[in-house]
Amino acid sequence: MPELKLFHGTRIVATPAALDTAVWPQDALALRLAPDEVFVTPAITADIVDDQHAIVAPDAGFAGAWIVPDEALEFLQRSCEWELPLERPAFAQGAVAGLPVKLWLEDDRVLFLVPAPYATDLEERMA
Amino acid sequence: MNEFIERNVRLSWHAAKRSYEVVIVGGGGHGLATAYYLATRHGITDVAVLERKYIGAGNTGRNTTVIRANYGIPEAVRFYQRSLDLYASLEEETGRGITHRQKGLLWLAHSETGIRAERARAELNTAFGAGTEYVGPDEIKKICPQLDMAGGGVWPILGASYHPGGATARHDRVVWTYAEGAMQRGVHIHQRTAVTGLIMDGDRVTGVETAAGPISAGAVVSAVGGHVTALASMAGLRLPIRTHPLQAFVTNRYGLGFDPIVSSSNLLFYASQTAKGEMLLGAEIDRQPSYSYRSGHHFLQSCGHRAMTLLPFLRNLRVLRQWTGVCDMSPDYSPVMGKTGVGGFYITTGWGTWGFKAIPVGGEQMAELIATGETPDLIAPFSLDRFARDRTMADRGSAGTH
Amino acid sequence: MTNDKSLRLIVDGSLVEFFAGDNALVALLRAGLHPSQGGCLCLAGDCPHCLATVDGVSYVRTCQVAARPGMVIKRHPSDAPPPLPVGDCPGTDIIARHIYCDVVVIGMGESGRAAAAEAQRDGKDVITLDAAAGQEVIGIYPGPLVVARTRDGMADVHPHGEIVVATGAAEIHPVAPGNHLAGIVTARAATRLAVAGIDLGRVVAIGTPPEGIAVEQAAGELVRFDGVDRVEAVVMRNENGSERKIECDTVSIGLGLCPRDALLRMGNGLAVRAVGAAARTSDIPACPRAGTVCHCAGVTVDDLESVRARGFHELELVKRATLAGTGTCQGSVCLPYIRSFLADRGESLQPPFTARPVTRQLTVGEAAASSYHQATPRTALDGEHRRLGAQMERAGGWWRPWSYGDTVGEYWAVRKGVSIGDVSTLGKMLVSGPGALELLERLYPTKVATLKPGRSRYVLLLNERGYVLDDGLICRDDKTRFTLTFTSGGSSFAELWVRDWAESWRLDVRLLNQTMSLGAINVTGPLAHELLARAGVGDPPQYLHHRTATVTGILCRVFRLSFTGEVSYELHHSVADSVTLWRRLLRLGADLGIKPHGVEALLMLRLEKGHIVVGQDTDFDSTPRRINHEWAVKLDKPDFVGRQAILRTDKVPLDRQLAGLEMEGPAPAEGALIWKGSDYVGFVTSSVFSPVLGKAVMLGWLKLLEGELPAELTIVGRPARRVPTPFYDSEGSRARA
Ligand SMILES: Cc1cc2nc3c(=O)[nH]c(=O)nc-3n(C[C@H](O)[C@H](O)[C@H](O)COP(=O)(O)OP(=O)(O)OC[C@H]3O[C@@H](n4cnc5c(N)ncnc54)[C@H](O)[C@@H]3O)c2cc1C
Ligand code: FES
């Protein structure tokens, strides 16, 4: 398993409607952590969402790594107690190996993200 | 062949009367002990205990039977120490075996703050009569050689408080001993008799409704464990009680060899070996309030995992059975007992995860209250009106488990 | 079947040969050995009679495990449970796999195969579990979740649709004197053993005979089995009452069937359905007259009679009074007989007792498969602390540096020079939006509206009962935006608390928890200004102000406050920059004698200032009044969480209060009892020997005596005094300097 690295990006909390209609840059990955919260990586500028009260904060609070699907699924089968989405790409989050993990599942790779304070634990548990 | 068969207790059942001096709702340990002490200490025998299932069907018959007195406030220490003493003499008093075993209780510390907490526990309890000493790793290893002092590399064992008075007893035998003792003196116990309502005369409770008809009573005592909120609301009382599931499991039987009761506040489990030889494991309450009796798989996994971390010999033991009970938790982790402000209606509840050990003293004190009309000193701090009077009894010594 | 000499296992220390395809029980029987318990064998995983210790695991049904070369079998002692293992039991880590499907079928007999085929025809994704294939279901749980022990670990199967229990039926065992002898088998077992090539000798059949073997049929009612260890004869009674003894080597038992419906009963209320024999009603055997009913617990018919005659009539009470039904087989063997016995004694036929997990045996290690300990988060500076040789402790739910080895030196660095501390563990939350002010105004007992942008204020967080949940700061960023901080230990709860209230009041706010995204370093000590100036902040914020600044080139929010009693700046920054910032500060302060301080020193420093630590100095029923923090509560505000409760409790006299205490000499341990004469009045919650004051200072609970807090006290046998806090720099001039 590769070493987890901090993912630099932007955390945005805004009205669900503002997030629904926001257009993220082509090369960015936007993970909808909650109806009113998104994590976009790499970082973006503040004026993308249409909500004057939005919180737009630079964020490096997640550590993560891209994993090949076979390895990822093998690990998830024994460490994840909830059902993964079948479609790709897909975002999913919940307890994995007892840690608050966010997953971005693509056809040929899976991104594991965890709050940086748990990075060492996730590395150990994936090893 | 089987030394655990109950060979002495004789239960004698009676037809129900329409009226009793005292009706006790709930045939768990507290209800039955109250009846027993009413009869033996106060000669009050015109008493009925109404149980919706069979005696001991509730939490008393599901609990992990840790008996200890080392609590977190002097009022509680005195109270539970009285219970410890009553338990220790119950076999002699009744001539019945309750499989009472004094085992000693180790409460492990795994961090600087844990060490401080265990030292404090020892200090307070020793001062108020529930002998507890702080012990270091060498003594811990002597008391319980099976412990992995490295804590599986997760929670190393740095120290512990040791309460030599810690004991266990067979829950069902406690139930039957009190039931028999009460019955012998004329108390009626009616099984399969659920109380469906309280009969009020003005603001006084004067009886109970059951499927078999009303029963009138001079005094009604609610001893229904986790179901107290429903019953009390019939008397117009709102109790600050929340009900949470609590689970446990046992392994198959093995030769005796694990002497003490071991508890860890960080790994949140406790373990003992029953007289039959099963390893008995318990943990903390489920966070989510619920009345569900269904056993969870996550509990078995997680409790087993945590216990194995400190007691690696458990790994290859085979699990026999898991089960669930429900605990009525008060906001300050102390029991709620005594008068209610509603005439003729008494309660004993808020027994949380720790009410088995309190059965003798709870019964004794409730009986005295009902017989004399005066709240005994030992339970005065635990009255329901303490919440309104801002006299709560926060007890860290009972928060958590057993 | 071939006899391959390499196929050997070890039974009680002796080598035993077996045939390919044998299960461990057949291997024993082939060698003329018998499991030490004796008793009727079923070869179907129902009874407890073939239990043995296999490869170090006791209570293994030998009929359910394939014989393997080198397998070590120890028979259980016949008169006692197997010994408790001693020492460590190293074991490989067992894995639990999660499997999702539409339908689970348990049991692959005829009805199970049919149910699976039907579901598949309907296009369902079906998982089948069968004990014969090494998949033993141990329980059905809410979810629904079917948990099975398999040859390569645990399987947690989550069906979206139904669970089909097709576990068939168990054969009823005989109850009569001598039923503990070897050589008694169920009819199905007899057939299986014969097929396996085991010589059964002369076979007598009681009831339904076994298929495919020549037997002598025994007519009449079973009276007893004769023999010493092995059955030598069976005695039957004819209709006319005469007894007949039939010599034999093996007795085959065909007394009827009892559904294996424990899983069905366990799944009651879930989408669980039984098919085939598992769905049938139980045959109720004739009421037993004598002999062992429950083999697991050693309960005879006489024992049942004895407790019943003494008033134990309910099935549950009979079970509890005798332990019949509580053994390894969970009543599979004895339950039909107990029910039949009680029905015969005039009780109605009572339903079987509650089925609880586990229905098949698994070890604690297997139960714990794929479990993880609760992880303790680490700050971005974790590696720095460890490199500096810190003693790391879990405190407030995080790994934190307790001490870098010289707690008193760390303390003096703060009091006299400059020091840095890692406070990244503090809870941090951003609140923004038109409803932000209202949210905080209703949540906190302080007046939030009067807080100006750029200012911070110490706050308590209360619950509805008016008890202190947490403390921290409210920092106003602008009109509609705030930063909240919480304690390290309280932050995860506090975050949920704030969210819950925002939701239930339906306020238009945005909430972002930044606890794990932001690091925080506290720069504190009289030389903190100097260090900040060197770090590029020449005009740091005033006391209880905050602003953004670049510190050693790193963008920070700088909060001026003080927990230590000295000038303090909390630098909040991205966790990506923590290490750089930490190292640069240490380098810049090297000639100022800078030292990092750990939690232990911090606890000393704050105690000298009389600052409480929620959870240590508070209890779960601490009102602001009890902890002497009424100044933090503005009752003239219209409403806030806890206000009603406080108005109520304010009317009753106070009973106890947290107070400052001091005494000469070394500090007593936390938890030390406080006495007034011979009366117990409370205990010490925090204590330290104050290096700067030269005496012990403490916080502790005191009971009011006749409405007064006692002043002259005894702690650990020494005189102590109640004194006002702070103990140190009571005007607070140092922090404001
Ligand atoms: C898993 C578990 C482990 C525990 N471990 C310990 C421990 O180690 N040490 C310890 O001291 N305590 C322990 N406890 C707590 C202890 O079991 C309880 O506090 C104690 O049994 C309470 O006794 P009780 O008589 O008040 O309640 P119960 O035993 O629950 O009795 C109440 C009775 O009331 C009946 N009832 C309910 N409603 C009605 C109605 N309307 N009409 C008639 N009858 C009714 C119920 O059927 C029940 O029999 C544990 C609890 C659980 C669940
Ligand atoms: S025979 Fe196994 S529990 Fe009775």
Side-chain angles (χ1 to χ4, degrees):
Chain A
M1 291 285 172
E3 200 184 317
L4 302 191
K5 295 210 167 60
L6 291 185
F7 270 61
H8 290 262
T10 307
R11 281 279 264 284
I12 304 172
V13 183
T15 59
L19 294 183
D20 288 344
T21 52
V23 182
W24 314 112
Q26 277 285 310
D27 61 336
L29 183 59
L31 305 179
R32 193 75 172 259
L33 308 182
D36 65 350
E37 185 174 351
V38 67
F39 174 62
V40 188
T41 177
I44 55 160
T45 53
D47 46 13
I48 280 190
V49 287
D50 179 22
D51 174 0
Q52 56 161 326
H53 297 286
I55 298 172
V56 182
D59 190 286
F62 290 115
W66 291 97
I67 314 280
V68 294
D70 286 355
E71 266 176 51
L73 294 178
E74 198 279 326
F75 172 65
L76 288 168
Q77 213 195 17
R78 61 186 156 89
S79 62
C80 172
E81 294 183 33
W82 38 276
E83 191 167 12
L84 294 172
L86 295 175
E87 71 275 19
R88 298 287 181 271
F91 174 70
Q93 57 186 339
V96 172
L99 301 170
V101 167
K102 325 244 173 235
L103 297 171
W104 175 253
L105 303 126
E106 295 180 358
D107 282 325
D108 53 355
R109 57 183 194 161
V110 178
L111 175 63
F112 281 70
L113 285 179
V114 72
Y118 293 113
T120 317
D121 291 288
L122 185 60
E123 275 172 11
E124 280 171 13
R125 291 174 188 197
M126 287 178 94
Chain B
M1 252 217 296
N2 163 352
E3 62 194 287
F4 302 101
I5 294 175
E6 176 51 61
R7 301 229 176 254
N8 301 307
V9 166
R10 184 176 291 278
L11 305 171
S12 33
W13 310 98
H14 306 85
K17 297 194 298 172
R18 296 269 60 102
S19 161
Y20 292 91
E21 196 177 330
V22 181
V23 163
I24 298 170
V25 191
H30 281 274
L32 294 166
T34 303
Y36 172 86
Y37 289 107
L38 275 172
T40 57
R41 302 295 195 267
H42 306 281
I44 297 176
T45 56
D46 185 21
V47 177
V49 179
L50 309 181
E51 165 55 48
R52 62 174 183 158
K53 292 184 180 163
Y54 56 92
I55 52 173
N59 295 299
T60 304
R62 297 159 195 269
N63 92 95
T64 51
T65 79
V66 176
I67 300 170
R68 63 182 178 92
N70 59 346
Y71 272 68
I73 47 177
E75 294 85 345
V77 176
R78 279 195 288 265
F79 176 80
Y80 292 107
Q81 185 61 42
R82 171 76 189 149
S83 215
L84 223 66
D85 297 342
L86 285 170
Y87 258 131
S89 60
L90 190 60
E91 296 189 331
E92 203 185 303
E93 174 174 331
T94 59
R96 296 291 180 246
I98 59 162
T99 326
H100 184 266
R101 301 272 188 279
Q102 187 171 333
K103 302 186 148 196
L105 169 73
L106 269 180
W107 216 311
L108 304 173
H110 308 272
S111 66
E112 290 287 342
T113 39
I115 289 174
R116 292 178 184 195
E118 296 317 321
R119 281 191 193 280
R121 198 196 300 275
E123 171 98 14
L124 179 88
N125 281 281
T126 303
F128 291 98
T132 302
E133 58 178 317
Y134 182 81
V135 290
D138 292 345
E139 282 152 289
I140 295 172
K141 196 76 199 166
K142 271 190 218 127
I143 296 166
C144 185
Q146 285 98 337
L147 279 170
D148 172 15
M149 299 304 287
V154 184
W155 287 104
I157 298 167
L158 306 176
S161 67
Y162 182 59
H163 177 43
T168 58
R170 173 88 194 284
H171 48 28
D172 287 327
R173 290 195 153 179
V174 171
V175 167
W176 304 328
T177 296
Y178 280 124
E180 181 193 38
M183 284 168 148
Q184 276 171 350
R185 291 164 179 87
V187 170
H188 286 189
I189 299 176
H190 304 301
Q191 300 190 114
R192 305 278 161 202
T193 308
V195 168
T196 52
L198 296 175
I199 303 172
M200 308 283 297
D201 180 4
D203 52 8
R204 244 193 104 75
V205 173
T206 57
V208 297
E209 298 282 3
T210 75
I215 299 177
S216 60
V220 173
V221 183
S222 163
V224 295
H227 300 267
V228 64
T229 12
L231 199 63
S233 69
M234 298 177 192
L237 286 172
R238 272 191 56 198
L239 297 183
I241 299 282
R242 279 171 178 246
T243 302
H244 291 258
L246 181 67
Q247 310 197 36
F249 78 87
V250 280
T251 68
N252 276 272
R253 297 172 57 185
Y254 295 86
L256 296 182
F258 186 83
D259 301 331
I261 305 162
V262 170
S263 189
S264 162
S265 314
N266 286 111
L267 281 154
L268 293 171
F269 81 91
Y270 57 100
S272 66
Q273 188 174 25
T274 68
K276 281 184 270 173
E278 302 147 329
M279 287 300 301
L280 173 58
L281 281 301
E284 80 283 17
I285 50 168
D286 295 4
R287 296 234 179 98
Q288 207 58 37
S290 152
Y291 287 95
S292 168
Y293 277 96
R294 214 184 270 273
S295 295
H297 181 238
H298 184 256
F299 161 77
L300 181 64
Q301 278 185 302
S302 168
C303 180
H305 179 58
R306 288 175 280 159
M308 222 168 69
T309 304
L310 295 190
L311 297 168
F313 79 95
L314 291 174
R315 181 187 296 274
N316 281 341
L317 300 201
R318 279 197 148 188
V319 176
L320 178 62
R321 183 170 53 246
Q322 66 175 117
W323 67 92
T324 305
V326 294
C327 298
D328 36 337
M329 308 293 293
S330 63
D332 58 1
Y333 292 81
S334 285
V336 179
M337 48 190 320
K339 298 182 181 174
T340 58
V342 175
F345 187 59
Y346 303 88
I347 56 171
T348 173
T349 182
W351 289 115
T353 59
W354 57 84
F356 175 72
K357 67 182 64 63
I359 286 171
V361 70
E364 180 197 53
Q365 299 293 310
M366 287 300 288
E368 185 178 333
L369 164 63
I370 295 157
T372 64
E374 297 293 323
T375 303
D377 287 349
L378 212 49
I379 62 169
F382 304 122
S383 63
L384 174 61
D385 67 358
R386 70 174 185 269
F387 298 101
R389 289 189 299 115
D390 195 28
R391 290 294 179 271
T392 45
M393 304 294 296
D395 189 344
R396 295 188 198 206
S398 65
T401 58
H402 58 76
Chain C
M1 231 164 276
T2 53
N3 188 355
D4 175 346
K5 290 283 177 202
S6 71
L7 297 181
R8 286 174 169 180
L9 45 71
I10 301 154
V11 181
D12 292 336
S14 311
L15 282 177
V16 163
E17 286 172 15
F18 66 92
F19 286 8
D22 281 358
N23 64 43
L25 175 58
V26 168
L28 281 176
L29 296 173
R30 197 182 288 291
L33 298 168
H34 196 275
S36 55
Q37 308 282 342
C40 175
L41 295 171
C42 66
L43 262 89
D46 296 311
C47 78
H49 296 140
C50 69
L51 293 174
T53 303
V54 176
D55 293 335
V57 178
S58 300
Y59 292 97
V60 173
R61 285 193 171 96
T62 48
C63 75
Q64 298 295 299
V65 290
R68 270 191 320 275
M71 178 181 251
V72 178
I73 300 178
K74 278 209 183 88
R75 291 184 289 174
H76 284 187
S78 57
D79 50 353
L84 198 66
V86 283
D88 293 0
C89 288
T92 46
D93 266 342
I94 300 155
I95 284 172
R97 285 192 176 72
H98 292 269
I99 301 162
Y100 297 84
C101 62
D102 296 322
V103 172
V104 185
V105 180
I106 306 167
M108 277 291 97
E110 211 174 296
S111 59
R113 284 197 303 270
E118 192 190 314
Q120 267 153 351
R121 265 198 309 279
D122 292 348
K124 300 272 165 52
D125 179 9
V126 180
I127 292 286
T128 64
L129 298 167
D130 189 67
Q135 299 141 343
E136 297 178 282
V137 172
I138 62 117
I140 295 179
Y141 294 90
L145 166 65
V146 179
V147 179
R149 193 181 163 261
T150 76
R151 288 184 184 138
D152 55 352
M154 301 298 295
D156 293 0
V157 185
H158 307 257
H160 300 128
E162 67 176 354
I163 299 167
V164 180
V165 174
T167 40
E171 294 173 276
I172 289 177
H173 283 231
V175 174
N179 63 354
H180 63 282
L181 295 172
I184 309 171
V185 295
T186 65
R188 289 184 198 157
T191 304
R192 252 177 249 158
L193 290 176
V195 170
I198 307 272
D199 180 9
L200 298 176
R202 189 171 156 201
V203 182
V204 169
I206 298 176
T208 313
E211 284 170 24
I213 337 177
V215 297
E216 177 175 345
Q217 188 73 35
E221 185 193 345
L222 171 63
V223 178
R224 66 173 188 273
F225 302 94
D226 279 346
V228 181
D229 290 322
R230 247 197 101 84
V231 67
E232 288 158 18
V234 51
V235 178
M236 306 295 292
R237 185 182 292 117
N238 294 341
E239 257 149 50
N240 60 19
S242 68
E243 290 186 359
R244 176 172 164 238
K245 183 170 183 166
I246 315 168
E247 312 266 310
C248 61
D249 302 304
T250 300
V251 184
S252 160
I253 305 291
L255 293 177
L257 297 174
C258 178
R260 294 191 189 104
D261 60 0
L263 290 170
L264 177 70
R265 288 183 282 128
M266 197 179 295
N268 183 21
L270 303 171
V272 182
R273 148 177 93 96
V275 297
R280 57 172 284 157
T281 52
S282 180
D283 290 334
I284 299 296
C287 174
R289 290 171 190 265
T292 299
V293 176
C294 175
H295 299 263
C296 294
V299 179
T300 63
V301 177
D302 287 348
D303 295 330
L304 295 182
E305 183 53 49
S306 155
V307 299
R308 202 209 61 87
R310 282 179 287 109
F312 293 83
H313 303 154
E314 295 252 350
L315 177 63
E316 263 297 334
L317 287 183
V318 170
K319 170 181 125 184
R320 286 165 179 263
T322 59
L323 301 183
T326 65
T328 306
C329 82
Q330 299 263 47
S332 289
V333 167
C334 58
L335 181 57
Y337 283 100
I338 311 172
R339 295 175 71 202
S340 148
F341 170 84
L342 288 174
D344 180 78
R345 296 301 191 274
E347 312 297 328
S348 55
L349 186 64
Q350 300 182 40
F353 35 69
T354 316
R356 297 208 173 88
V358 294
T359 47
R360 285 285 184 124
Q361 305 285 295
L362 83 170
T363 63
V364 175
E366 287 162 338
S370 293
S371 277
Y372 298 90
H373 286 294
Q374 176 153 14
T376 306
R378 298 160 207 264
T379 74
L381 295 170
D382 192 77
E384 298 301 293
H385 305 318
R386 287 174 201 268
R387 249 190 303 284
L388 290 166
Q391 173 197 347
M392 299 299 287
E393 281 280 332
R394 276 164 282 203
W398 289 75
W399 280 110
R400 303 188 69 182
W402 186 253
S403 164
Y404 297 89
D406 175 17
T407 299
V408 175
E410 296 161 29
Y411 163 93
W412 280 120
V414 177
R415 284 277 175 260
K416 291 257 169 80
V418 64
S419 171
I420 55 175
D422 179 6
V423 290
S424 306
T425 57
L426 288 172
K428 310 168 209 79
M429 192 176 204
L430 284 179
V431 184
S432 163
L437 180 60
E438 185 183 345
L439 170 67
L440 303 184
E441 205 72 90
R442 291 172 74 175
L443 207 50
Y444 286 101
T446 190
K447 285 187 183 162
V448 184
T450 60
L451 190 65
K452 296 199 177 67
R455 302 290 303 257
S456 316
R457 185 176 297 154
Y458 173 84
V459 282
L460 294 175
L461 196 60
L462 308 177
N463 68 13
E464 297 100 314
R465 295 183 174 278
Y467 301 153
V468 175
L469 288 177
D470 202 16
D471 67 356
L473 294 180
I474 296 184
C475 312
R476 187 159 200 170
D477 303 337
D478 61 39
K479 202 160 160 275
T480 57
R481 186 181 288 246
F482 298 83
T483 302
L484 309 179
T485 69
F486 309 113
T487 63
S488 310
S491 73
S492 46
F493 180 84
E495 192 217 342
L496 293 177
W497 184 255
V498 175
R499 280 185 196 281
D500 276 0
W501 284 112
E503 210 163 286
S504 63
W505 290 327
R506 299 174 181 284
L507 294 171
D508 187 9
V509 291
R510 327 278 175 271
L511 301 169
L512 177 63
N513 178 1
Q514 294 194 298
T515 304
M516 297 209 169
S517 299
L518 297 182
I521 294 173
N522 186 19
V523 180
T524 179
L527 302 180
H529 299 305
E530 168 67 19
L531 185 63
L532 272 209
R534 291 184 187 186
V537 190
D539 56 339
Q542 296 296 301
Y543 188 59
L544 289 180
H545 285 64
H546 57 92
R547 69 175 180 83
T548 306
T550 306
V551 187
T552 71
I554 289 165
L555 187 66
C556 292
R557 294 188 68 197
V558 182
F559 296 81
R560 172 107 188 248
L561 39 98
S562 184
F563 192 51
T564 61
E566 306 297 337
V567 172
S568 294
Y569 298 98
E570 230 169 74
L571 312 178
H572 292 203
H573 56 274
S574 163
V575 288
D577 297 324
S578 286
V579 171
T580 314
L581 180 60
W582 178 266
R583 290 186 181 171
R584 286 183 183 163
L585 289 169
L586 282 181
R587 196 161 348 107
L588 285 175
D591 64 317
L592 303 175
I594 193 169
K595 267 183 198 249
H597 62 269
V599 174
E600 193 177 28
L602 185 64
L603 290 174
M604 292 170 69
L605 293 155
R606 68 88 201 186
L607 183 53
E608 289 175 344
K609 289 298 296 174
H611 293 310
I612 59 161
V613 170
V614 173
Q616 177 172 340
D617 300 302
T618 64
D619 232 319
F620 32 77
D621 61 356
S622 295
T623 50
R625 179 169 74 146
R626 281 206 177 114
I627 59 168
N628 210 355
H629 273 54
E630 280 173 294
W631 53 268
V633 177
K634 302 293 175 223
L635 285 170
D636 53 349
K637 267 177 51 167
D639 202 14
F640 57 85
V641 176
R643 181 170 181 268
Q644 293 307 320
I646 290 178
L647 288 176
R648 235 183 359 258
T649 53
D650 266 359
K651 293 199 194 95
V652 284
L654 192 61
D655 59 341
R656 60 193 133 106
Q657 196 168 38
L658 193 70
L661 306 159
E662 63 173 37
M663 65 195 286
E664 304 309 320
E670 283 162 7
L673 307 183
I674 309 175
W675 304 89
K676 171 80 189 166
S678 58
D679 290 339
Y680 167 83
V681 289
F683 62 94
V684 173
T685 59
S686 292
S687 84
V688 70
F689 181 81
S690 164
V692 71
L693 301 172
K695 60 188 171 193
V697 296
M698 295 158 275
L699 289 175
W701 285 107
L702 294 181
K703 274 191 215 171
L704 279 78
L705 302 175
E706 283 150 18
E708 297 272 332
L709 276 181
E712 300 297 324
L713 303 154
T714 308
I715 303 176
V716 291
R718 291 187 274 139
R721 290 168 301 284
R722 178 171 59 81
V723 291
T725 57
F727 304 97
Y728 170 72
D729 183 28
S730 53
E731 299 81 44
S733 52
R734 298 185 66 87
R736 288 185 178 82

